[in-house]
Amino acid sequence: MGDSPASYIYMVQHLIEKCLIFNMTKEECMEALSKHANIKPVITVTVWNELEKENREFFEAYAKSQNKNRATEVEVEGGEVQ
């Protein structure tokens, strides 16, 4: 962590970006950062929400991709995909 609030927020943003690489939901990211980086969930949610505002198109596509991936996982687990 750095010396300023801005550097802390930048670090949280960087960690959220890592969560996105791993296709994590906001809730999964909050849990992971709380557990592994000792970042309070309210901080993660606040930074995530600001990123969503600044990058609306990306997050809309990300949400669609997640919904598609989750639906595929359910189908595979349920044995519907052959």
Side-chain angles (χ1 to χ4, degrees):
M1 188 167 62
D3 296 323
S4 72
S7 64
Y8 182 73
I9 291 169
Y10 181 76
M11 179 197 66
V12 173
Q13 177 180 336
H14 178 72
L15 292 171
I16 289 171
E17 289 168 357
K18 295 285 187 185
C19 291
L20 295 173
I21 290 170
F22 288 104
N23 254 348
M24 298 171 83
T25 65
K26 185 187 297 186
E27 291 74 20
E28 290 168 336
C29 185
M30 286 173 19
E31 185 178 328
L33 296 189
S34 178
K35 181 177 180 181
H36 300 291
N38 201 29
I39 296 170
K40 293 180 181 178
V42 68
I43 302 295
T44 301
V45 168
T46 301
V47 175
W48 184 295
N49 289 343
E50 287 303 311
L51 289 171
E52 282 184 321
K53 286 181 193 174
E54 294 173 12
N55 304 283
R56 189 168 310 276
E57 288 181 16
F58 168 81
F59 278 94
E60 286 173 359
Y62 184 77
K64 286 179 185 176
S65 173
Q66 278 196 314
N67 289 338
K68 183 178 177 183
N69 289 341
R70 303 275 183 218
T72 301
E73 288 173 9
V74 169
E75 289 174 358
V76 169
E77 289 173 2
E80 295 175 21
V81 173
Q82 298 176 1

